[in-house]
Amino acid sequence: MTGPTTAQPSPARAAGLSTRFTELVGIEYPIVQTGMGWVSGPSLTSATSNAGGLGILASATMTFVELETAIAKTKTLTDKPFGVNMRADATDAPERIDLLIREGVKVASFALAPKPELIAKLKDNGIVVIPSIGAAKHAVKVASWGADAVIVQGGEGGGHTGPVATTLLLPSVLDALSAKGIDMPVVAAGGFFDGRGLAAALAYGAQGVAMGTRFLLTSDSAVPDSVKQEYLGRGLGDTVVSVKVDGMPHRVLRTPLVEALESGSPVRALVAAARNANEFKQMTGMRWTTMLKDGRTMKKSGERSWQQVIMAGNTPMLLKAGLVEGDTRAGVLASGQVVGMIEDLPSCDELIQSIMAQAHERLKTLGSLG
Ligand SMILES: Cc1cc2nc3c(=O)[nH]c(=O)nc-3n(C[C@H](O)[C@H](O)[C@H](O)COP(=O)(O)O)c2cc1C
């Protein structure tokens, strides 16, 4: 026999927190889910945006048509602002930018800053431009090119990363901007996972936080459950920055494959990289001429060797094997050090609510100290 049902009051939601960044992009909470190749698709991105943060689709591992489909799908799942992360040095970057404009995407995020003409075009069409940077001088440069805000990623962050920790990189960027009289919102990334981190970032003078690994480990991310479990089992010392994956410093989980790459011969690594680049080319329908053209642009912009350029084609396939196919032995799993602080798989809404409740509580306590 079932008793009468009593309507349960829905739990109170955390109050919004308005900063110059939330006002710029039109969101409730100063929390960004960053673009992560093979990870941030329509479900994760829309779940973040619906929860009051800013979700960002990762498009560097998508073909143009896949990106078109992903934007359309995301728009069916949320009417809140969301962004698209892309490679500014891809040969079809101008077409992708036209697509963002046509579709009215709110934010364009870039791992490498786009040229001033592309920034101007995006801004003229009402799109907010947010490059990710890893050095103070780059923040000043992209500000002079017209960027609206920057994501500053410290060395503890997952994926491609720099050598300086967030605790030092963030104030160095804020100081460099203020020395030049530049008033641009800065979003802190690398190592964030809770409300204490958000309160600390705001105390530094940032206008919000961006998180990759923490959002990968939510029930809304499409990464196979077995792979999420592999991440959850890791501690603070279980990531490594390897240049053997694609020739650039890349923070990944320490796995037997990564250790083999680290100790393997450069020739063997190069042959494997060329094979993976070929597979990526077939999968995305990219022509060799396009890949070579992309490679030449990459070489010019980043002063990379041809060996590094060939190895860059390696990353997408190795990440795909791990993050999409769930083969943790054959694939590479990009991850921030913060993986060692994460023990659960909340939904994006639960995650953002708990971060905001804790941030409000910390800010209140700090406010009472004075
Ligand atoms: C699995 C994974 C994939 C990533 N892919 C990209 C990408 O495609 N483009 C990009 O700009 N950054 C990428 N990143 C970096 C993140 O956007 C973000 O800056 C970083 O994860 C922040 O550090 P955290 O992991 O400590 O939160 C990736 C990170 C991870 C963990």
Side-chain angles (χ1 to χ4, degrees), residues 9 17 19 47 65 72 77-78 86 127 144 179 306 313-314 318 325:
L17 201 161
T19 69
V65 173
L77 298 171
T78 184
M86 64 185 132
I127 300 185
S144 75
W306 274 111
N314 201 20
L318 288 177
E325 289 148 17

Side-chain angles (χ1 to χ4, degrees), residues 34-37 85 111 153 156-159 190-191 211-213 216 323 334-336 338:
T34 59
M36 288 176 282
N85 173 262
Q153 189 193 312
E156 52 273 70
M211 304 184 295
T213 308
L216 183 153
L323 293 167
S335 171
V338 70

Side-chain angles (χ1 to χ4, degrees), residues 36-223:
M36 288 176 282
W38 303 118
V39 176
S40 48
S43 70
L44 182 60
T45 301
S46 60
T48 307
S49 291
N50 284 333
L54 180 75
I56 301 185
L57 282 174
S59 85
T61 45
M62 289 179 191
T63 62
F64 182 83
V65 173
E66 282 166 351
L67 175 59
E68 256 181 334
T69 312
I71 292 174
K73 174 88 183 154
T74 308
K75 283 168 78 172
T76 66
L77 298 171
T78 184
D79 53 7
K80 300 272 176 59
F82 68 93
V84 171
N85 173 262
M86 64 185 132
R87 273 182 43 198
D89 60 351
T91 42
D92 65 353
E95 287 84 51
R96 288 181 187 235
I97 282 169
D98 287 340
L99 173 66
L100 264 57
I101 293 169
R102 266 199 314 280
E103 293 298 325
V105 170
K106 182 72 187 178
V107 170
S109 127
F110 294 93
L112 291 168
K115 295 274 170 296
E117 314 80 80
L118 288 184
I119 296 184
K121 184 172 181 182
L122 284 160
K123 289 182 61 165
D124 286 349
N125 286 281
I127 300 185
V128 177
V129 180
I130 311 182
S132 292
I133 52 112
K137 65 179 183 202
H138 295 150
V140 173
K141 186 167 82 181
V142 299
S144 75
W145 288 357
D148 296 293
V150 278
I151 293 178
V152 173
Q153 189 193 312
E156 52 273 70
H160 291 120
T161 202
V164 181
T166 308
T167 45
L168 296 171
L169 184 64
L170 179 58
S172 80
V173 168
L174 291 162
D175 287 350
L177 291 171
S178 115
K180 298 269 178 200
I182 302 168
D183 189 21
M184 175 176 66
V186 168
V187 176
F192 292 98
F193 66 104
D194 68 359
R196 292 171 299 180
L198 173 55
L202 296 173
Y204 271 103
Q207 303 291 312
V209 292
M211 304 184 295
T213 308
R214 179 61 274 197
F215 276 105
L216 183 153
L217 293 170
T218 58
S219 57
D220 293 305
S221 105
V223 169

